């Protein structure tokens, strides 16, 4: 495991803060807490680091959460050709697959519709072409990209009686933008079923929070400074019973002739989204929704992104290229911007 973590560029720092390697930092919940020491564990799932902190939990419970997530990953990841997502793609135009994760597909399509296609799980062929985050990453030609755009359209996804299918041959699915949030949701439900009332789980840039700290205080989550290193944060969120997810352009990219091409693509063009934002953090009870919305908002930009969040009753933090940090109303009292970094806080009315 250590080798894979290193390969992915993830490091664990001082005892006080555990790096999630993505847009959010999880401050060690045990730091200065009175009462029970939490059980803490780390695993490598869904191509990223998962950190579990469970008050009143133990290794067995953490392992249960990890193994359920691995089962889900084996189904919804398109990295394995045995997965149900790979089967759905292979059957495109001719058949479908019944899925116990039907609700995740449903949510993904809902966000696709409401974001006007800024979010689109049929982006797979174009994502594969770029290969960002893989050893084969490259900048494809415009012709190659445009040749694949006719296969990208969430309208090809058919959801019927628990069965998922694609109506166009050559179309394919990528749930990479929603899977980590769904994994965090799954971990929280495993904790809840075991009678736990205080826990926090991070799956890459998706964090799930169950309750608050044992004394009743909220959990503190650091929002990464896009200009800083992996362990630098520009502000903190104090939260209870909620999920948080961040999408940022600094996460994964390929560079050519001094130009950076990041991994969040605009389904309309097939090129990295350029909406003026560098990072979006979304806060809502549903972790899978947070994950999908953070990707969607990154593509949509500030104005349309805020509207999309409003429609779901979600909140967010949008960081733009001018170092402005926009925070929606519902979380303004939970967010604290760090002084001295040169960022400007803008409260959205
Ligand atoms: P991360 O994987 O870094 O947490 P996201 O949740 O934002 O970030 O998901 C990005 C991943 O989703 C990409 O690596 C790609 O697989 C896929 N993707 C890229 N662009 C889109 C898009 N517009 N809609 C849906 N999925 C996307
Ligand atoms: Mg996402």
């Amino acid at each position: 495991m250590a080798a894979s973590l290193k390969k992915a560029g993830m490091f664990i720092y001082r005892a006080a803060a555990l790096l999630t390697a993505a847009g959010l930092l999880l401050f060690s919940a045990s730091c200065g807490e009175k009462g029970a020491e939490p059980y803490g564990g780390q695993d490598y799932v869904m191509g990223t680091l998962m950190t579990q902190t469970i008050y009143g939990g133990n290794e067995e419970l953490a392992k249960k959460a990890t193994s359920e997530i691995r089962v889900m990953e084996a189904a919804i990841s398109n990295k394995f050709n045995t997965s149900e997502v790979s089967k759905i793609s292979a059957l495109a135009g001719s058949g479908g697959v019944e899925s116990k994760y039907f609700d995740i597909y449903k949510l993904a399509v809902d966000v696709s519709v409401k974001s006007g296609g800024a979010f689109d799980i049929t982006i797979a062929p174009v994502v594969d072409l770029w290969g960002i985050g893989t050893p084969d990453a490259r900048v494809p030609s415009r012709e190659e990209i445009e040749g694949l755009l006719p296969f990208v359209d969430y309208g090809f996804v058919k959801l019927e009686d628990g069965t998922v299918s694609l109506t166009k041959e050559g179309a394919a699915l990528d749930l990479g933008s929603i899977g980590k949030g769904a994994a965090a949701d799954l971990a929280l439900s495993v904790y809840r079923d075991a009678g736990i009332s205080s826990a926090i789980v991070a799956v890459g840039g998706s964090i799930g929070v169950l309750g608050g700290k044992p004394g009743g205080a909220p959990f503190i989550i650091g929002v990464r400074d896009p200009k800083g290193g992996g362990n630098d944060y520009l502000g903190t969120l104090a939260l209870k019973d909620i999920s948080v997810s961040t999408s940022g352009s600094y996460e994964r990219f390929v560079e050519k002739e001094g130009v950076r091409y990041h991994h969040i693509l605009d389904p309309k063009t097939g090129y990295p989204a350029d909406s003026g934002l560098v990072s979006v953090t979304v806060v809502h009870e549903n972790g899978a929704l947070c994950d999908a919305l953070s990707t969607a908002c990154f593509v949509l930009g500030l104005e349309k992104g805020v509207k999309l969040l409003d429609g779901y009753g979600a909140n967010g933090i949008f960081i733009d290229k001018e170092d402005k940090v926009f925070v929606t109303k519902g979380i303004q009292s939970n967010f604290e911007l760090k002084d001295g970094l040169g960022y400007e806080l803008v409260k959205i009315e």
Side-chain angles (χ1 to χ4, degrees):
M1 189 179 94
S4 1
L5 291 182
K6 212 166 163 201
K7 203 169 129 207
M10 292 165 209
F11 305 92
I12 298 156
Y13 291 81
R14 47 187 196 260
L18 294 177
L19 177 63
T20 66
L24 297 164
L25 296 158
L26 180 55
F27 292 91
S28 169
S30 63
C31 204
E33 280 307 294
K34 285 198 194 105
E37 277 293 303
Y39 175 80
Q42 294 188 319
D43 287 286
Y44 193 73
V45 297
M46 298 203 163
T48 192
L49 182 67
M50 170 163 83
T51 303
Q52 306 187 65
T53 306
I54 318 166
Y55 285 91
N58 52 30
E59 189 180 357
E60 197 188 335
L61 185 61
K63 277 195 172 148
K64 186 167 193 283
T66 309
S67 73
E68 289 199 19
I69 289 170
R70 288 202 204 285
V71 170
M72 182 167 87
E73 182 183 10
I76 68 169
S77 168
N78 59 351
K79 306 289 178 283
F80 314 115
N81 47 23
T82 50
S83 74
E84 71 172 40
V85 156
S86 297
K87 278 183 201 145
I88 294 164
S89 301
L91 288 172
S94 62
V97 173
E98 201 179 325
S99 174
K100 76 175 204 192
Y101 303 103
F102 191 72
D103 287 349
I104 298 177
Y105 297 91
K106 225 168 116 182
L107 189 61
V109 170
D110 193 65
V111 175
S112 303
V113 174
K114 291 185 178 140
S115 68
F119 179 82
D120 195 324
I121 53 168
T122 63
I123 191 84
V126 188
V127 169
D128 292 347
L129 179 66
W130 283 88
I132 298 171
T134 74
D136 306 321
R138 68 186 179 95
V139 181
S141 71
R142 187 167 290 274
E143 290 74 47
E144 284 177 286
I145 293 171
E146 286 177 355
L148 291 176
L149 289 181
F151 298 96
V152 178
D153 186 340
Y154 62 85
F156 299 143
V157 185
K158 198 167 128 203
L159 303 172
E160 218 168 51
D161 304 328
T163 295
V164 185
S165 56
L166 286 163
T167 55
K168 185 178 174 83
E169 199 182 333
L173 293 180
D174 176 355
L175 295 182
S177 52
I178 191 169
K180 294 178 198 102
D185 287 340
L186 187 51
L188 292 194
S189 77
V190 169
Y191 306 157
R192 239 183 251 115
D193 289 350
I196 300 292
S197 56
S198 173
I200 183 159
V201 62
V203 186
S206 287
I207 288 182
V209 178
L210 180 61
K213 292 187 201 173
F219 283 103
I220 306 295
I221 293 162
V223 179
R224 185 165 151 186
D225 178 356
K227 292 191 296 187
N231 211 22
D232 296 322
Y233 61 98
L234 60 66
T236 52
L237 273 167
L239 298 167
K240 286 185 191 181
D241 272 319
I242 203 97
S243 292
V244 190
S245 187
T246 293
S247 289
S249 52
Y250 50 83
E251 286 298 337
R252 276 181 278 148
F253 50 81
V254 58
E255 239 162 0
K256 192 185 172 189
E257 290 155 10
V259 181
R260 272 191 185 189
Y261 299 86
H262 64 78
H263 72 307
I264 303 172
L265 306 176
D266 183 340
K268 304 254 171 1
T269 64
Y271 279 88
D274 187 13
S275 62
L277 299 174
V278 288
S279 154
V280 182
T281 296
V282 174
V283 180
H284 187 272
E285 284 75 20
N286 182 330
L289 180 62
C290 286
D291 198 354
L293 287 177
S294 64
T295 308
C297 288
F298 188 95
V299 178
L300 283 175
L302 177 67
E303 229 167 280
K304 288 182 181 161
V306 169
K307 273 195 195 130
L308 181 68
L309 295 190
D310 265 352
Y312 280 104
N315 279 285
I317 300 171
F318 296 72
I319 306 171
D320 75 4
K321 288 180 182 167
E322 265 96 60
D323 295 344
K324 288 201 172 78
V325 180
F326 299 86
V327 184
T328 63
K329 220 174 174 87
I331 51 167
Q332 286 168 0
S333 61
N334 308 74
F335 181 69
E336 206 174 308
L337 185 70
K338 242 176 146 182
D339 288 333
L341 291 175
Y343 287 97
E344 181 194 339
L345 182 67
V346 184
K347 292 182 175 175
I348 301 173
E349 283 310 309

